[in-house]
Amino acid sequence: MGSALPKATLENWREHPYSVWGFTHVDSLIPVVPVPTAPPPSPLRQGKPLDLARLAIVWAGSRRSAEAALEETFTDGFLVLKDGEVVAERLINQTADARHIVFSVSKSITAALAGILVKDGKLDPEARVSRYVPEVEGSAYADATVRHVLDMAVSIRFVEDYLDPQGDVARYRAAMGWNPSGAMQGADGINAFVTSLPKADHPHGRRFHYVSPNSDLLGWIIERAAGENFAELLSRLVWKPMGMAHDACITVDRHGAPRTAGGLCISLGDLARFGEMMRNKGRFNGQRIVPEEWVNDILHQGDAAAWSRGEMVNLFPDGRYRSKWYVPDPSSSVLCAIGIHGQWIYIDYDAGMVAVKQSSQPVPADEALDNLTYAMFQAIADELR
């Protein structure tokens, strides 16, 4: 499966076709720390198979099968659960135990961990960031709250352009060790980069502005609030009690700071387990993992006005963003976690459905492929209702 794929280097691992191998071999390219699980793994039961080759999707004036849509959107792995049972699974460019990087789906998982700390009284979403990380004084985050960070509502000057070779994201990648050393001069490590970012002119909370460094800061906040290493905390509170089948891992910079905004690498089945836990309002494997009130807050408390002023309103015109999760339309029952290059957790509560998709789309943020993927999820949900 993987032997015929061209191997990647640190210079080209996010470029297609090298990304097909690179996205499941991040630990060969970038320093990582493990997120251990513990046996035995929680089983994923088999349900009535869904025929993806016969399931039609009508999108942008044309018709294709769900199977064709998977190919068109550069899918590496795809799994659908109906009421916790596997009804579709495709391992295309990866094996069941491969740890595929999930990019910004990492944000959603990180924020779920934050919700556990809130319930435990260790983290206050309304407190200033500086209460936990005083190093942010003098940056955009000096007078921001944890809630502003959670909801991407920080007033900050940062442009999330993945294709600008000299822009903010390029400097950010150099700081986190995702590009070769010397590729660009800049901050020494993730934390130094985060604390260098300046404030914008508008007040915090006014508009949704997607800034990945917010979520690295969230990981730093979590470590300070809990007094524990992020990977160890995620292992202890989530991976082990959920009975994940495989250890995860997360990339770290040269100082050991975790890339909680996008560095988690997770097997396909474990990503589905996480989605199923969120579908069950925080319960999985017979245990309470994430507080139910935290999941309900995500579903119902997103700021419509802030979203409407943000840059993603075209993707979900009636959307909300809350604690690193997308609510595409509050009148439906859908919750999403989304990462660049085609990483998804899609949850439809009414349909009892969880779908996860790991991909190697050539363009990081491809709106057309995102819309096709979303149409496919909706067609599957309609079939499963």
Side-chain angles (χ1 to χ4, degrees), residues 198-385:
K199 191 175 180 181
D201 295 334
H202 61 277
H204 296 304
R206 175 169 172 74
R207 62 183 291 257
F208 169 82
H209 179 36
Y210 192 91
V211 172
S212 281
N214 290 347
S215 303
D216 292 311
L217 175 59
L218 180 61
W220 195 2
I221 292 167
I222 285 171
E223 289 192 328
R224 289 287 178 82
E228 190 173 350
N229 171 280
F230 178 85
E232 294 172 356
L233 194 69
L234 185 61
S235 170
R236 181 172 65 81
L237 295 180
V238 179
W239 242 245
K240 288 180 177 178
M242 281 192 65
M244 294 300 201
H246 305 100
D247 294 351
C249 65
I250 189 167
T251 71
V252 293
D253 70 9
R254 62 187 297 268
H255 302 290
R259 177 90 213 286
T260 50
L264 277 169
C265 303
I266 304 170
S267 72
L268 182 69
D270 287 342
L271 194 62
R273 286 175 174 88
F274 192 89
E276 180 67 5
M277 179 272 293
M278 292 294 290
R279 186 186 74 83
N280 284 302
K281 300 290 185 74
R283 289 191 66 85
F284 191 81
N285 202 28
Q287 297 193 53
R288 167 65 58 194
I289 306 297
V290 173
E292 182 173 0
E293 55 266 37
W294 186 258
V295 181
N296 285 332
D297 182 86
I298 290 169
L299 288 167
H300 303 298
Q301 296 302 317
D303 187 336
W307 177 265
S308 70
R309 300 184 187 106
E311 64 267 21
M312 289 192 186
V313 69
N314 287 340
L315 180 61
F316 300 130
D318 299 314
R320 311 281 191 274
Y321 188 86
R322 185 72 167 178
S323 296
K324 312 294 181 188
W325 289 82
Y326 297 86
V327 177
D329 181 349
S331 67
S332 71
S333 63
V334 174
L335 183 64
C336 296
I338 309 172
I340 57 171
H341 297 285
Q343 324 312 319
W344 287 80
I345 300 174
Y346 177 98
I347 303 165
D348 188 318
Y349 289 88
D350 287 347
M353 168 190 165
V354 172
V356 294
K357 187 176 187 294
Q358 296 175 324
S359 317
S360 50
Q361 292 175 4
V363 178
D366 191 321
E367 189 169 315
L369 293 190
D370 285 343
N371 286 329
L372 172 56
T373 297
Y374 194 75
M376 178 184 67
F377 290 143
Q378 289 180 306
I380 293 173
D382 288 343
E383 183 74 11
L384 292 176
R385 286 184 210 283

Side-chain angles (χ1 to χ4, degrees), residues 7-350:
K7 292 190 175 182
T9 66
L10 194 58
E11 287 85 357
N12 65 16
W13 71 279
R14 295 184 308 275
E15 299 172 8
H16 200 82
Y18 305 102
S19 57
V20 179
W21 182 90
F23 287 176
T24 54
H25 293 81
V26 171
D27 55 351
S28 299
L29 303 166
I30 301 169
V32 302
V33 294
V35 179
T37 189
S42 58
L44 289 177
R45 305 183 310 278
Q46 296 298 311
K48 181 182 177 182
L50 189 65
D51 190 345
L52 298 180
R54 293 174 61 89
L55 180 60
I57 301 166
V58 179
W59 175 76
S62 62
R63 186 183 180 92
R64 77 264 285 155
S65 69
E67 201 82 63
L70 291 178
E71 182 177 354
E72 195 172 341
T73 57
F74 298 87
T75 304
D76 298 323
F78 183 68
L79 196 153
V80 181
L81 301 176
K82 165 66 174 175
D83 297 330
E85 296 183 339
V86 177
V87 295
E89 184 174 13
R90 298 291 185 274
L91 292 165
I92 300 167
N93 291 315
Q94 63 190 66
T95 56
D97 61 350
R99 297 182 298 190
H100 194 295
I101 191 166
V102 296
F103 292 106
S104 291
V105 175
S106 306
K107 296 175 172 66
S108 309
I109 295 170
T110 297
L113 185 58
I116 300 172
L117 297 186
V118 170
K119 177 69 172 180
D120 290 347
K122 295 179 178 179
L123 180 63
D124 179 2
E126 304 309 321
R128 284 194 173 192
V129 173
S130 56
R131 172 174 162 183
Y132 303 100
V133 184
E135 292 91 334
V136 301
E137 290 297 345
S139 77
Y141 301 103
D143 59 345
T145 65
V146 175
R147 173 51 62 196
H148 293 139
V149 171
L150 282 162
D151 293 354
M152 294 288 190
V154 177
S155 173
I156 192 168
R157 292 208 298 271
F158 182 91
V159 179
E160 189 107 357
D161 184 345
Y162 306 106
L163 301 178
D164 184 349
Q166 302 297 319
D168 290 339
V169 172
R171 295 187 297 109
Y172 177 37
R173 285 172 173 161
M176 71 178 76
W178 277 27
N179 284 349
S181 60
M184 176 175 283
Q185 296 301 310
D188 181 17
I190 295 172
N191 294 346
F193 184 85
V194 165
T195 55
S196 74
L197 294 172
K199 191 175 180 181
D201 295 334
H202 61 277
H204 296 304
R206 175 169 172 74
R207 62 183 291 257
F208 169 82
H209 179 36
Y210 192 91
V211 172
S212 281
N214 290 347
S215 303
D216 292 311
L217 175 59
L218 180 61
W220 195 2
I221 292 167
I222 285 171
E223 289 192 328
R224 289 287 178 82
E228 190 173 350
N229 171 280
F230 178 85
E232 294 172 356
L233 194 69
L234 185 61
S235 170
R236 181 172 65 81
L237 295 180
V238 179
W239 242 245
K240 288 180 177 178
M242 281 192 65
M244 294 300 201
H246 305 100
D247 294 351
C249 65
I250 189 167
T251 71
V252 293
D253 70 9
R254 62 187 297 268
H255 302 290
R259 177 90 213 286
T260 50
L264 277 169
C265 303
I266 304 170
S267 72
L268 182 69
D270 287 342
L271 194 62
R273 286 175 174 88
F274 192 89
E276 180 67 5
M277 179 272 293
M278 292 294 290
R279 186 186 74 83
N280 284 302
K281 300 290 185 74
R283 289 191 66 85
F284 191 81
N285 202 28
Q287 297 193 53
R288 167 65 58 194
I289 306 297
V290 173
E292 182 173 0
E293 55 266 37
W294 186 258
V295 181
N296 285 332
D297 182 86
I298 290 169
L299 288 167
H300 303 298
Q301 296 302 317
D303 187 336
W307 177 265
S308 70
R309 300 184 187 106
E311 64 267 21
M312 289 192 186
V313 69
N314 287 340
L315 180 61
F316 300 130
D318 299 314
R320 311 281 191 274
Y321 188 86
R322 185 72 167 178
S323 296
K324 312 294 181 188
W325 289 82
Y326 297 86
V327 177
D329 181 349
S331 67
S332 71
S333 63
V334 174
L335 183 64
C336 296
I338 309 172
I340 57 171
H341 297 285
Q343 324 312 319
W344 287 80
I345 300 174
Y346 177 98
I347 303 165
D348 188 318
Y349 289 88
D350 287 347

